[in-house]
Each structure stands twice: as C-alpha cells, then as structure tokens.
C-alpha cells in the first residue's frame, strides 16, 4: 500500500491523497497532503457525535533540549487513556517526528505529523508505529 503512495509522491509535486486502512478491526483514514513537506494525518473513519472528551499530547522541543530528555505536554482532560498513552513506548516513537501530535476525542485516537518529501519512506514506519500503539493500549 505505502509503496504505491511513495511512488505517487515522487511523481506528483503537490496534492491531497486519502487512503482507508483497517487497524485493530477499526477503519482509519490516512490523509497525505503534499506540499514542500508531507503532512500525514491518521484519524478514525467514522466520528461519533457525543459529549466531547478531548485531550492532545505533543512534544515540547525547547524543554527537551534543556532537560536533555523528551518532555511532553498534555492539553485537555487527564484520563486513564492519556496516562496509558504517555507511558507507551510507541507514543514516544510517534512524537519523534516533526510537528507531531496525538489527539483523542471520545476515545478515538488520531495522529498527525509532518515529514520531508525526501523522507517519504518513513510513512510506512509511522503507520506501523500507530497500529502498534493501538495494539498495546
């Protein structure tokens, strides 16, 4: 799946591509926006309309430089799911990518990041990390 996408990235200078994948028996939509960089977003295919229970995890780059270890920011409501995500090894691996964040709304996790076009082979790694993250929760 990602081989065809990587090939189309090298052929097309810009555009938006959307692919549906199945991870842990749930349908997810992977959206790639091609510009100077590749913006990737993995989100649930169906959104639930309920009382929003929202949190967002991002990496703090400046604090990570000062303390010489990764520092993370949790914005929103602290829940058991957010604690599991903060202690998970795949969360750290996913937040390694530039401008990355993990968002949870109504217990549905989505991920977004940005990579350079020359590093487009990392798309497959991101999808593997995301599916491993969901499997370990």
């Amino acid at each position: 799946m990602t081989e065809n996408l990587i090939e189309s990235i090298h052929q097309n200078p810009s555009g938006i591509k959307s692919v549906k994948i199945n991870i842990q028996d749930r349908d997810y939509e992977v959206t790639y926006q091609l510009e100077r960089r590749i913006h990737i977003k993995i989100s649930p295919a169906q959104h639930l309309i309920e009382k929003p229970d929202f949190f967002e995890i991002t990496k703090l780059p400046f604090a990570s430089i000062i303390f010489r270890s990764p520092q993370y920011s949790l914005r929103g409501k602290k829940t058991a799911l957010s604690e599991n995500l903060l202690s998970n090894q795949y969360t750290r691996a996913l937040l390694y990518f530039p401008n990355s964040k993990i968002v949870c709304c109504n217990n549905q996790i989505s991920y977004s990041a940005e990579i350079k076009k020359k590093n487009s082979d990392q798309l497959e790694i991101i999808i593997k990390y995301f599916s491993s993250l969901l499997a370990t929760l």
Side-chain angles (χ1 to χ4, degrees):
M1 175 194 75
T2 55
E3 295 85 16
N4 297 337
L5 184 64
I6 292 170
E7 184 179 319
S8 68
I9 287 170
H10 291 296
Q11 292 175 356
N12 298 329
S14 63
I16 296 176
K17 298 240 183 245
S18 183
V19 178
K20 294 202 184 246
I21 60 173
N22 192 336
I23 302 173
Q24 299 293 321
D25 296 330
R26 286 186 160 173
D27 293 327
Y28 283 87
E29 184 175 5
V30 183
T31 307
Y32 306 95
Q33 183 176 2
L34 310 173
E35 293 174 355
R36 281 184 42 204
R37 294 180 179 260
I38 301 170
H39 302 274
I40 181 172
K41 183 174 183 180
I42 304 173
S43 59
Q46 66 276 4
H47 296 285
L48 298 176
I49 301 173
E50 292 179 8
K51 178 181 163 189
D53 184 18
F54 175 82
F55 66 84
E56 176 180 291
I57 300 173
T58 57
K59 185 177 177 182
L60 298 171
F62 187 69
S64 296
I65 292 171
I66 292 173
F67 297 115
R68 296 184 184 192
S69 66
Q71 302 292 315
Y72 304 103
S73 166
L74 174 66
R75 186 177 301 159
K77 192 173 183 180
K78 190 174 187 179
T79 62
L81 180 60
S82 67
E83 291 297 318
N84 286 342
L85 281 171
L86 284 170
S87 64
N88 197 312
Q89 64 182 353
Y90 294 108
T91 300
R92 285 178 259 144
L94 285 169
L95 292 177
Y96 170 77
F97 295 99
N99 295 333
S100 59
K101 65 182 173 181
I102 297 175
V103 178
C104 180
C105 187
N106 297 328
N107 290 329
Q108 293 185 341
I109 299 172
S110 61
Y111 171 76
S112 63
E114 183 178 291
I115 58 175
K116 294 180 179 179
K117 279 191 177 182
K118 67 180 180 180
N119 298 333
S120 61
D121 56 333
Q122 293 179 339
L123 293 172
E124 187 172 353
I125 295 169
I126 289 173
I127 293 173
K128 284 182 183 177
Y129 283 163
F130 186 75
S131 62
S132 298
L133 173 71
L134 294 178
T136 57
L137 291 179

